[in-house]
Amino acid sequence: MSPKQLPAPGVDTYFPGHGDARYRVHRYELALDYRPGPNRLGGTARLSAVAGTEPLREFALDLAEFRIGRILVDGRPAHYTHRAGKLRIRPAKALAAGAAFTVEVHYTGNPKPVRSQWGGLGWEELTDGALVASQPVGAPSWYPCNDRPADKASYQISITTPSPYTVIVGGRLLTRTTRASSTTWVYEQAAPTSSYLVTVSIGPYETLRVTDPAAGAEPLRRVPQTAYLPTPLMPRFTHDFGRQPQMMHLFEELFGPYPFGEYAVIVADEELDVPFEAQGVSTFGTNHLDGVRGSERLVAHELAHQWFGNSVTIADWRHIWLNEGFAKYAEWLWAERSGGRTAAQHAAAAHAKLAALPQDLRLADPGKKLMFDDRLYERGGLTVHALRCALGQEAFFRMVKDWTAIHRHGVVSTADLVAHAGRYTDRRLDTLLNAWLWQGPLPPLPVAT
Ligand SMILES: [Zn+2]
């Protein structure tokens, strides 16, 4: 076994109760049934996992309140306790270090959001249907998982629900089978996926293929783009998301090939505070459509997360700025390349805004309380801009493309980015990056030299 396959050491300091670093899961197979009326979810989760460097007498999964039918480890009944969102499992026989094993959990119940300082996370009942927005720790609201971003796995998700509903899960739709009044949707997400990026949307949605009307001859490779939304929103959507194919084109040029097989956008029939990214999917609310592209920067932001966050994933939540800084910068790059303000103008505006706010945010380890603070997004974008100014245009984009290629479907930290960026210049970046990443006071506005 190569060191890469071993579980990363340590515990997430922001969410010490989540995840278990003593083993890793490489595949989840979920076979679930959902009834929207009574909001009832049940079925089986089958996990294929590998023990770490120590033998395992017991191990833990994260799962909110559900009634557990039975739990099997390697096909044999296992003892367990289930308290405070933690499912502690003791196999009949201890698992040897490095041993591959399977866990099967049969469960049923009424899923509800996990409470957090940011409101409810995870499974959320809608007026007509449901959606899942788990970042950062909502995944256990609907399935048993090793809930740490670094433990990425492939997924097969099968959901049976009443036939009038459309079910969207990231990845490729393998089959859709209707029996009596229920339909079973089976999706496969082959790319390694963090638990917080697994989503489900169930609703009365119409399906729309998103194509680029401006594109003449078919390019060699095109990412299939699909939208799911309530029919009445169709005209606004076609206008507001009309430039998404060009965005995809630009980001592939700047960040390298799109990391997944397809991209889907959902507009839920509900207002959402913020849109959110999942693996191969982004979900928006009705309030993000206004017919005048008022939220286009968010269309760019969520798409950029497919590279930054979803393919190149943070080792733990301290490094959240790597997701949000690059996604924010992608907004500025899109604006710059689509006839709007330049990235330098956006940087100047963000700098002026931050200069007037408290300067107590440590970007590279903001603490749980500030991990989704607005300032983290703006300062993250500025830090990426500072790198562009320090490296120069050509080296900067080479650095970014190599970053997404080297760490494609992998796990990274701030230290990895600092070391990586250093290879693209003869200048020392320590002082500059230390000021942006680790100190509170706002460094001067970066300018291209
Ligand atoms: Zn974001």
Side-chain angles (χ1 to χ4, degrees):
M1 184 185 277
S2 77
K4 236 187 151 174
Q5 289 169 291
L6 294 174
V11 161
D12 196 313
T13 50
Y14 292 8
F15 304 98
H18 278 253
D20 184 339
R22 297 172 299 166
Y23 70 94
R24 64 174 302 267
V25 183
H26 54 87
R27 183 162 176 84
Y28 290 81
E29 286 167 359
L30 311 179
L32 304 173
D33 185 282
Y34 181 65
R35 299 290 125 183
N39 183 42
R40 190 147 192 87
L41 181 72
T44 307
R46 195 184 149 83
L47 287 61
S48 304
V50 180
T53 49
E54 301 290 328
L56 286 181
R57 293 197 154 281
E58 53 83 37
F59 59 91
L61 286 168
D62 301 290
L63 179 66
E65 262 175 64
F66 281 95
R67 198 161 58 76
I68 310 286
R70 57 183 177 143
I71 294 182
L72 304 175
V73 175
D74 287 334
R76 297 169 65 188
H79 290 283
Y80 68 88
T81 59
H82 188 202
R83 242 174 258 125
K86 216 67 188 169
L87 191 53
R88 296 188 189 280
I89 300 172
R90 192 155 54 84
K93 198 166 144 264
L95 300 159
F101 63 100
T102 61
V103 189
E104 204 174 296
V105 180
H106 298 250
Y107 66 105
T108 181
N110 300 105
K112 57 174 190 288
V114 170
R115 276 207 297 260
S116 80
Q117 65 179 92
W118 309 280
L121 303 173
W123 193 282
E124 195 185 330
E125 225 189 315
L126 303 178
T127 314
D128 194 14
L131 66 74
V132 171
S134 290
Q135 192 183 30
V137 287
S141 66
W142 69 285
Y143 75 101
C145 53
N146 189 6
D147 195 26
R148 49 200 301 268
D151 196 16
K152 297 168 79 169
S154 69
Y155 280 79
Q156 184 169 102
I157 300 178
S158 159
I159 295 186
T160 303
T161 205
S163 295
Y165 292 94
T166 299
V167 176
I168 307 114
V169 170
R172 195 156 64 91
L173 177 64
L174 296 182
T175 57
R176 189 177 71 180
T177 320
T178 300
R179 269 194 209 94
S181 57
S182 290
T183 299
T184 301
W185 305 68
V186 182
Y187 282 89
E188 172 76 24
Q189 178 54 267
T193 301
S194 294
S195 47
Y196 85 90
L197 290 169
V198 184
T199 193
V200 179
S201 258
I202 300 173
Y205 299 128
E206 191 168 334
T207 306
L208 176 74
R209 305 277 161 222
V210 181
T211 50
D212 182 357
E218 284 289 307
L220 286 176
R221 179 181 177 275
R222 173 166 294 184
V223 181
Q225 295 172 54
T226 312
Y228 301 90
L229 64 157
T231 315
L233 299 177
M234 213 54 99
R236 278 188 170 192
F237 177 88
T238 338
H239 179 264
D240 287 5
F241 281 69
R243 302 204 289 183
Q244 186 180 277
Q246 288 104 294
M247 247 175 227
M248 179 67 87
H249 190 75
L250 175 68
F251 290 173
E252 287 205 299
E253 179 197 318
L254 299 178
F255 309 147
Y258 177 75
F260 305 104
E262 56 287 299
Y263 185 56
V265 287
I266 301 165
V267 184
D269 197 5
E270 201 105 355
E271 295 205 349
L272 297 181
D273 288 346
V274 284
F276 61 92
E277 78 276 17
Q279 201 80 318
V281 191
S282 297
T283 306
F284 296 79
T286 49
N287 50 314
H288 299 119
L289 297 181
D290 58 7
V292 292
R293 294 187 181 140
S295 296
E296 195 182 52
R297 71 171 187 88
L298 298 173
V299 179
H301 181 107
E302 302 311 326
L303 177 58
H305 273 312
Q306 301 300 325
W307 285 263
F308 306 104
N310 299 15
S311 168
V312 181
T313 302
I314 51 175
D316 62 59
W317 294 106
R318 287 174 300 169
H319 313 292
I320 179 81
W321 84 273
L322 288 173
N323 293 3
E324 301 309 341
F326 277 101
K328 172 58 77 177
Y329 203 64
E331 294 175 26
W332 300 351
L333 289 170
W334 167 250
E336 179 170 282
R337 292 289 287 263
S338 63
R341 288 196 297 172
T342 64
Q345 288 168 327
H346 278 281
H351 194 271
K353 190 165 139 191
L354 287 178
L357 294 170
Q359 294 178 27
D360 59 351
L361 177 94
R362 196 158 61 148
L363 190 65
D365 187 3
K368 185 176 161 187
K369 216 175 121 205
L370 296 180
M371 64 184 277
F372 295 117
D373 194 280
D374 264 355
R375 291 173 296 162
L376 180 129
Y377 289 65
E378 304 287 349
R379 187 162 173 147
L382 274 166
T383 304
V384 176
H385 189 65
L387 277 173
R388 182 178 175 180
C389 293
L391 300 181
Q393 180 86 346
E394 188 275 329
F396 169 77
F397 283 108
R398 202 153 37 83
M399 182 278 287
V400 172
K401 254 181 149 161
D402 289 351
W403 173 250
T404 62
I406 294 167
H407 298 287
R408 181 180 161 91
H409 300 319
V411 170
V412 295
S413 67
T414 299
D416 293 329
L417 181 74
V418 171
H420 175 77
R423 295 182 195 115
Y424 294 79
T425 176
D426 296 330
R427 289 173 55 177
R428 291 197 63 98
L429 298 174
D430 320 27
T431 312
L432 176 81
L433 287 179
N434 180 50
W436 280 104
L437 294 169
W438 293 102
Q439 309 300 322
L442 188 64
L445 175 67
V447 283
T449 47

